[in-house]
Amino acid sequence: MGCMQGRPADGQDGFDENQPLSQKEIQARIVASDVATTFSTDLVDLRYAFLSQRGYYPDSPDKANQDDFCIKTKFGGYKDRALFAVFDGHGTYGDHCANFCAEHLHNFVEKELEKYNKSGKIDVKKALKSAFIKTNEQLHRNNRIRDDLSGTTCILVLIIGKVMHIANIGDSRAIVAKQDHANKDKLNAIALSYDQTPYRKDERERVKRAGARVLTMGQIEGSAPLHEDWGDLKLGDELDEDGDPPRVWSKTENYPGTAFTRSFGDSEAEKLGVFAEPEIDVRTITPNDKFICIASDGVFEFLTNQAVVDIVKRYQDPLEANRVVVQEAYQAWLDLEVRTDDITMICVFLSGVSDVNFDPTAAEEVSHLTPRSEGARPVRRQVSRKAAQRGLVLAKGEDDNEPINLEDFVSEKTQAERDRILETLVGSFIFQHTNDDQVDSGEFEVRLGRTQEEIDSTGGEVVFVY
């Protein structure tokens, strides 16, 4: 995993009847740094460590870890450069997509930077953008990896001297802990990236212009009213009430359903505007910056940016800080879900920062992205519908497969919503003969036609009724 070798983390065996995995089983799922490593330049000292924990999926206990990471110091042969990246794969072949990008993206970044170095004019933003696009093209061309409905997000931090260049596609995240001006004991979480999801109005409108529908699973299923009222959400601080985010869908089919608007791979979603062009932010490291956290959404699904900073600041060792954050995230998943995601984090402690020309009262340097008060994926604080349903079943001691009363999920629809549902249904060849009476009754027939004449007239013999 990743372009830096790790080992399974040490741990004691044990069993908690309230936990699905013993401590030994949890530790067997973890790959981590042996010890924290220090990389020093003339301008800043970086002390870093990584940790990645494979997710717990009760229906797929052997599912591979789809997260990956990459760490390169003395990047490109330069003594003042370091690259850190985290990849979060998804879909059937998500682990292959994440592995591929972790192996190849840094090579493209190095080549693109060198191309600009030779020209005598370094343009890091253009180099990063070009590297991301070329990596995506290379993934598409790889015949060994199916990336039509699989892919990976990526958050990358490239440090040159003491300037951070942050490139992001998807909903993995980078943050920096900055010492408060008024209270030296307080560290504030500063976002270095902004989640690209349909929660963001700009991203939502962009994919819609490319032909996408944006709906939650509940809206697709008809159990939630149609709307786009996802509010103005503050990055890493807002709360998600039910774990049902807006997703990207085809106009006529119920796929791909991505909860992000940029990624590597995902060639079907790419037709709907989900592409690999990164948003790039630039920030100079100052003496007030104490550490950087780069992590997959397995960390940030239930922990706010500030919560992560508050945990990490208690530790002097980035490896230990990683362990505790991942443990907290893992437990939060178990408390509110029936599974856990893969959870990966790189923690980089900052020290020895040159303070030449440093103004402690100066505003943050931002390249072109201003901190958005809208559109980031919120942090969840409620049990998902699936987890709530399972919890109710377990509490009653009933079988998981007991029929569900669909009336409990019915919601009234306006005429506009009914028209939109009918339009979507008849757009699918399966439901092309759907009529208003069937929509009113909620009853659908599956017919088998043996001749073209029979298909054109009655649709064929009724073989099943929904």
Side-chain angles (χ1 to χ4, degrees), residues 109-259:
V109 173
E110 183 176 339
K111 289 176 183 177
E112 291 302 305
L113 284 173
E114 195 58 33
K115 184 189 303 182
Y116 284 103
N117 286 342
K118 289 180 180 179
S119 70
K121 184 179 179 181
I122 298 178
D123 191 327
V124 178
K125 289 183 186 178
K126 285 186 178 180
L128 287 172
K129 179 180 176 180
S130 179
F132 271 64
I133 292 172
K134 288 184 177 181
T135 300
N136 193 50
E137 292 171 347
Q138 193 76 11
L139 176 58
H140 287 334
R141 289 195 292 266
N142 190 304
N143 294 326
R144 294 174 296 174
I145 301 175
R146 285 194 57 181
D147 72 341
D148 51 344
L149 295 173
S150 297
T152 181
T153 66
C154 172
I155 178 69
L156 177 148
V157 177
L158 172 64
I159 299 176
I160 300 178
K162 60 176 184 177
V163 178
M164 292 185 286
H165 303 264
I166 306 97
N168 179 50
I169 53 173
D171 56 1
S172 294
R173 195 177 294 175
I175 60 176
V176 64
K178 181 183 178 182
Q179 189 174 51
D180 190 85
H181 294 310
N183 182 356
K184 299 300 183 183
D185 294 328
K186 181 180 180 182
L187 295 183
N188 298 315
I190 306 297
L192 297 178
S193 62
Y194 298 90
D195 300 354
Q196 296 139 356
T197 78
Y199 278 115
R200 273 176 51 178
K201 185 176 180 181
D202 59 341
E203 287 291 286
R204 186 163 70 242
E205 293 302 319
R206 183 178 62 76
V207 296
K208 286 169 63 179
R209 287 194 298 271
R213 290 180 298 158
V214 177
L215 299 166
T216 66
M217 285 295 297
Q219 289 172 328
I220 284 285
E221 295 167 352
S223 61
L226 298 176
H227 69 85
E228 289 192 5
D229 183 22
W230 290 295
D232 293 335
L233 302 171
K234 189 175 180 182
L235 179 64
D237 291 333
E238 295 292 330
L239 306 183
D240 181 3
E241 294 302 324
D242 62 2
D244 188 16
R247 296 173 180 271
V248 178
W249 306 93
S250 162
K251 280 285 190 184
T252 58
E253 303 292 341
N254 290 344
Y255 73 85
T258 62

Side-chain angles (χ1 to χ4, degrees), residues 282-327:
V282 179
R283 189 178 191 280
T284 299
I285 300 172
T286 74
N288 283 340
D289 297 330
K290 301 306 176 184
F291 55 81
I292 306 165
C293 297
I294 307 157
S296 65
D297 72 338
V299 168
F300 294 108
E301 184 77 14
F302 297 106
L303 299 179
T304 66
N305 294 349
Q306 190 60 49
V308 172
V309 166
D310 290 342
I311 293 171
V312 173
K313 73 178 184 181
R314 302 199 305 259
Y315 297 91
Q316 301 300 313
D317 180 358
L319 179 56
E320 187 61 23
N322 281 338
R323 290 190 196 282
V324 178
V325 170
V326 171
Q327 287 171 2

